[in-house]
């Protein structure tokens, strides 16, 4: 009788019990970008038994919230297998997920700079190797994405007083480095610059008063980029030629 009364009250109030839910995290081969992730989400959420899909690009994983009364894990695996591109396999926190992070660091001027960065980053969990290229001002970092992330690594380098941005070995990509007032070296400035059509990545450093930008050469030039940044209200200027004092110390 008590159960009947509860059900009757629920019906009167328009409330229904929440559907039973479980989660499944899988690694997905072939999911390399935001476009792929969108395709995977769209495919999986077509099924009424799946309520949410959260993707981690770096680990190439998808965490799927589903109702086990409506869909099985075998069916989820089958949905992905049928695409012939996004094949899923079981995920474990103990997996080693090797990733490479390439960073342009224009304010890494000399060996002492690179030694300082490698010395600090090499102590981070999951980082297994670093290779600085001083001639091109970039560093290659290999790490386990199950133990660390590109954002965490970039944050550590930025807090050290450097300004890393994404690096690509391509003539279609350019890099610009400007001086800005320390007070505008904020996340808001990063967001405003990244919203520009020609910009691939941006970062700021309040300690150094620096702004670094990765841009597409087909869409802009350093001069035009500077003009656009200034037009956006950011007082950026080209720095004077660097004279490294650390090499002599």
């Amino acid at each position: 009788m008590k159960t009947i009364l509860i059900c009757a009250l629920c019906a009167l109030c328009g409330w229904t019990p929440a559907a039973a839910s479980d989660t499944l995290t899988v690694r997905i081969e072939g999911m390399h970008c935001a476009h792929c992730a969108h395709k995977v989400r769209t495919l999986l959420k077509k099924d009424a038994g799946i309520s949410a899909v959260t993707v981690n690009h770096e680990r190439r994983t998808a965490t799927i919230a589903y109702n086990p009364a409506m869909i099985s894990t075998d069916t989820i695996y089958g949905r992905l297998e049928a695409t012939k591109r996004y094949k899923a396999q079981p995920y474990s926190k103990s997996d080693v997920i090797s990733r490479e992070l390439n960073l342009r660091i224009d304010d890494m001027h000399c060996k002492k700079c690179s030694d300082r960065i490698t010395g600090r980053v090499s102590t981070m969990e999951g980082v297994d190797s670093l290779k600085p290229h001083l001639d091109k001002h970039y560093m290659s970092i290999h790490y386990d994405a199950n133990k660390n992330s590109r954002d965490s690594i970039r944050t550590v380098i930025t807090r050290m007083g450097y300004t890393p941005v994404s690096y690509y070995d391509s003539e279609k990509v350019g890099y610009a480095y400007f001086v800005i007032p320390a007070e505008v070296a904020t996340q808001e400035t990063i967001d405003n610059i990244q919203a520009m059509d020609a910009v691939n990545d941006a970062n700021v450093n309040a300690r150094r008063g620096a702004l670094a930008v990765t841009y597409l050469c087909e869409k802009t030039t350093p001069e035009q980029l500077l003009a656009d940044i200034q037009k956006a209200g950011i007082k950026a200027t080209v720095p004077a030629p660097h004279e490294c004092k650390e090499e002599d110390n």
Side-chain angles (χ1 to χ4, degrees), residues 41-130:
R41 285 194 204 95
T42 301
L43 168 72
L44 293 174
K45 291 189 74 174
K46 284 181 179 179
D47 199 305
I50 294 175
S51 57
V53 180
T54 304
V55 172
N56 184 307
H57 292 162
E58 199 165 9
R59 292 200 301 259
R60 311 286 194 260
T61 61
T63 299
I64 303 153
Y66 68 100
N67 183 344
M70 300 175 67
I71 188 171
S72 68
T73 57
D74 286 344
T75 301
I76 294 172
Y77 278 104
R79 293 271 194 276
L80 293 164
E81 179 80 30
T83 66
K84 300 185 184 301
R85 179 173 181 179
Y86 303 116
K87 183 179 179 181
Q89 58 182 320
Y91 164 79
S92 170
K93 290 183 179 180
S94 64
D95 290 343
V96 175
I97 304 177
S98 298
R99 292 287 178 264
E100 181 180 17
L101 172 62
N102 292 311
L103 296 174
R104 170 83 175 204
I105 312 174
D106 272 290
D107 32 32
M108 181 178 70
H109 299 293
C110 64
K111 190 175 184 301
K112 284 192 175 181
C113 291
S114 67
D115 286 349
R116 186 178 294 120
I117 295 170
T118 55
R120 173 65 184 89
V121 175
S122 63
T123 66
M124 298 179 71
E125 185 180 17
V127 174
D128 56 58
S129 67
L130 302 92

Side-chain angles (χ1 to χ4, degrees), residues 101-106 150-151 153-155 158 163-168 172-178 187 189-204 210-217 220 225 229:
L101 172 62
N102 292 311
L103 296 174
R104 170 83 175 204
I105 312 174
D106 272 290
R150 64 184 301 277
D151 288 344
I153 295 169
R154 278 178 55 135
T155 296
T158 301
T163 322
V165 287
S166 299
Y167 173 84
Y168 303 93
K172 295 182 179 180
V173 179
Y175 308 92
Y177 185 84
F178 305 112
Q187 184 61 47
T189 293
I190 293 174
D191 294 340
N192 288 340
I193 293 173
Q194 286 184 331
M196 295 178 180
D197 185 50
V199 172
N200 169 271
D201 190 21
N203 195 11
V204 296
L211 163 64
V213 182
T214 303
Y215 65 91
L216 304 178
C217 297
T220 193
L225 180 61
I229 291 171

